[in-house]
Amino acid sequence: MLKETDKKLPDCEVEITLMMMSERWRVLIIRELLSGTKRFGELKKTLNGISQKVLTANLRAMESQGLLTRKVYAEVPPRVEYTLTEDGISLKSVLDAMAMWGESYRQKYKNR
């Protein structure tokens, strides 16, 4: 099976970053995991509007890209936890910049 990280990366650095965070939900998943390890149910609960199918697909893609790790515990019922890797954590500065820009934009246009 070809992993996301095995594909040829674009020449443009911005395009590489967008490729890793292209889905709306991926940015929000990273935001949630920046505070620490979370179980699937915790993520689903905090990401209002995401379906189980979409969350699962995004988590799998992010794992194959090396942005998070998935740990399965041999319990009944099974417990699965997700944690950001160093690469995932390194996206914090990107999210911080997005948040600052969003806040600035909100302040500028909130009274329109």
Side-chain angles (χ1 to χ4, degrees), residues 4 18 68 76:
E4 290 280 331
L18 285 174
L68 59 81
V76 177

Side-chain angles (χ1 to χ4, degrees), residues 25-43:
W25 295 111
R26 290 189 193 176
V27 174
L28 299 177
I29 291 167
I30 292 167
R31 180 198 66 192
E32 292 304 317
L33 291 176
L34 281 169
S35 64
T37 299
K38 301 269 190 308
R39 294 175 69 176
F40 184 90
E42 291 175 298
L43 288 169

